[in-house]
Amino acid sequence: MAQAKAKSTAAKSGKQGQTRQKPATQSHRTHIPELRDGVAPHTYRTHNCGELRKDDVGTQVRLSGWVHRVRDHGGLLFIDLRDHYGLTQCVIEPENAHFTLAEDLRAEWVVRVDGKVVARTDDTVNPDLPTGEVEIRIDSLDVLSEAKELPLPVFGEPDYPEDTRLRYRFLDLRRETLHRNIMKRVQIVAWLRHRMTADGFFEFQTPILTASSPEGARDFLVPSRLHPGKFYALPQAPQQFKQLVMIAGFDRYFQIAPCFRDEDARADRSPGEFYQLDIEMSFVEQDDVFNAVEPVLRDLFIEFGEGRPVTEKFPRLRYWDAMRRFGTDKPDLRNPIEMRDVSEHFRGSGFKVFASLLEKHKGKRDWYDNAEVWAIPAKGGGSRAFCDRMNNWAQEEGQPGLGYIFFREGEGAGPVAKNIGAERTEAIRNELGLSDGDAVFFTAGVPNHFVDFAGRARTKVAEELELIDTERYEFCWVVDFPMYEWDEDAKKVEFSHNPFSMPQGGIDVLESIERGETDPLDVLAWQYDVVCNGVELSSGAIRNHIPEIMYKAFGIAGYGPEVVEEKFGGMLRALQYGAPPHGGIAPGLDRMVMLLCDEPNIREVTMFPLNQQAEDLMMGAPSEVSPEQLKELNIRPALTQQQKK
């Protein structure tokens, strides 16, 4: 007996022992034993499973929770008991009247234990647990709920198929990492609400049932019973409503806003629904929005970033500069590589592939007509093996290849260096600041056609050479987006970003376009993005609040007044009754939590996400409804034969 008791502290929770999974053989009656001074405590617990400490030694307690696992140590049974707050190790001896019941316990059964808090010996303390200095010597044990054999494990973090995880999401959420992510999300939302209110913003709720709006994605439609043949739409964003809040005379709005878009899933975008920190302000310019939002984002990432450095002052990158330097309008500034236009070093050179491209593609619009050669410097990439590997990657990406020069023994090597000659090679090396052991890769063509590949190549080089500092948060603003872009398929000018933004230059620049004095592709808008670690957190803009400017802006893109009035009549009417200059932004909550939890997929920070096919496997949505419901809504499905299958 003494030996058995000596072993009672020999197990560190989560460190040793075997999990017991014996099948249940009997039903178990629950009862409420009396505890201290003959007075029964709360029915289920006096403490939670994360709060007991060494100061509680000698206290008689009651805990309830899930059986995390059961371990056998020389006749003693150790039960790790878990609830929302943490985990406590409990021990029961063979002499205990409840020992047989303890032997029957299986993972994820819900139990209640009564017992005394005892101290672990110094050599058995578990420093990884907040409760690791103590354990519970069980007096009585009751089963509150049994669990069937689990379809996926809760203990540990094994990689399990996504469909299984989502079908049994209520079990998946019991896993430590996912549970911690969701609680961090809760804390982030609470922090944001407190901070925005402290900064003088007011939280307003905007409608969920609204009218369909062409905002770039498909709407989710809701049929109206009272208005046969008509539909509500779930809001893709509260964009128009928050502008109407400003027009109504409220000054600084925010909302943790649900948004609904019928679009495909991505790692950083959930299908169906997502949330954003929606913000709008009256009587502001771009700097006012930045000055209000930047401290909130910076302090949020300092508060929840677990000590990682955060950009002190967000740099501002002009859109065209970002595209040319980084190949994207959402650059990851942890990546030190900056691309450079080196076209002049190849013009008329012996490298005919590039020289002929530069000669062939010439036009009036640099981004859309003229060919260029961009260099991607690669510090530390100066080996033929690495260069060939990058070239093979480019071919796998559907490109003809990726030209390169690598430097060794004071000179450039490779086919490109051989064809352009030593003088041009040395000029490229000097311009890019490269040395022996370094390399440079080249992409060429019309920038509008190859910029996306160039950006991905820049990222690939940095990842392969481990140049990215992953232990920091690097923010930036991307500003001065073009108001319009050239649609090659339609052969016309189209909006490039948000059509409701104010053009830089206002009505004067639009009238200059109408007179043929200004190219619409040269017009910039008061539009901006905020980016962190290569993830676009949000787009925003100073809004167009003048109806005449809206008519002219849409007219340049080929939309007549009748189209504007049909699609945006509500907003136009509101602007006609005294609209203040206003602007805003809406950082994505899910993406911020994803970054702060260091997760690559947004489903790891969402409590009940849909799968890649926008299905809720747990609840069975979307689902068919009864003929009676359809009749009441005046709906008759028109499925194709393939869809019926």
Side-chain angles (χ1 to χ4, degrees), residues 264-427:
D264 295 335
R266 295 192 317 220
D268 65 347
R269 182 177 69 194
S270 294
E273 62 184 282
F274 60 92
Y275 287 80
Q276 60 192 29
L277 172 61
D278 209 44
I279 297 170
E280 198 75 7
M281 307 166 65
S282 286
F283 301 107
V284 292
E285 297 179 320
Q286 179 174 274
D287 282 355
D288 298 309
V289 177
F290 289 4
N291 291 337
V293 174
E294 184 173 315
V296 174
L297 297 182
R298 182 181 60 245
D299 292 351
L300 173 70
F301 276 73
I302 290 173
E303 178 73 18
F304 294 97
E306 299 180 353
R308 294 182 179 182
V310 180
T311 308
E312 178 63 27
K313 179 65 178 175
F314 298 2
R316 301 184 187 185
L317 305 174
R318 291 169 58 88
Y319 170 82
W320 292 116
D321 291 340
M323 295 299 284
R324 289 185 172 277
R325 290 166 61 188
F326 309 113
T328 177
D329 59 359
K330 39 183 177 290
D332 186 348
L333 297 187
R334 299 173 303 168
N335 179 349
I337 295 176
E338 292 193 22
M339 299 187 293
R340 192 80 63 87
D341 181 355
V342 293
S343 303
E344 295 308 311
H345 297 298
F346 286 90
R347 204 177 301 279
S349 73
F351 194 67
K352 299 301 182 183
V353 175
F354 287 178
S356 60
L357 271 174
L358 294 172
E359 185 63 29
K360 178 180 179 182
H361 294 280
K362 292 182 177 180
K364 66 177 182 179
R365 302 170 303 181
D366 286 345
W367 190 255
Y368 298 96
D369 295 330
N370 290 319
E372 297 178 4
V373 179
W374 290 5
I376 306 171
K379 292 278 188 179
S383 71
R384 187 178 297 276
F386 176 69
C387 291
D388 286 344
R389 191 160 74 247
M390 285 300 304
N391 188 56
N392 291 337
W393 169 82
Q395 292 172 348
E396 292 171 357
E397 294 291 306
Q399 302 295 317
L402 194 61
Y404 61 82
I405 298 174
F406 63 95
F407 298 93
R408 63 186 180 188
E409 299 177 356
E411 61 182 22
V416 174
K418 180 179 180 181
N419 279 280
I420 66 174
E423 184 176 344
R424 291 176 186 257
T425 297
E426 181 66 10

Side-chain angles (χ1 to χ4, degrees), residues 218-230:
R218 294 184 181 90
D219 287 321
F220 281 103
L221 300 177
V222 180
S224 170
R225 178 181 60 84
L226 297 177
H227 304 279
K230 294 185 178 182

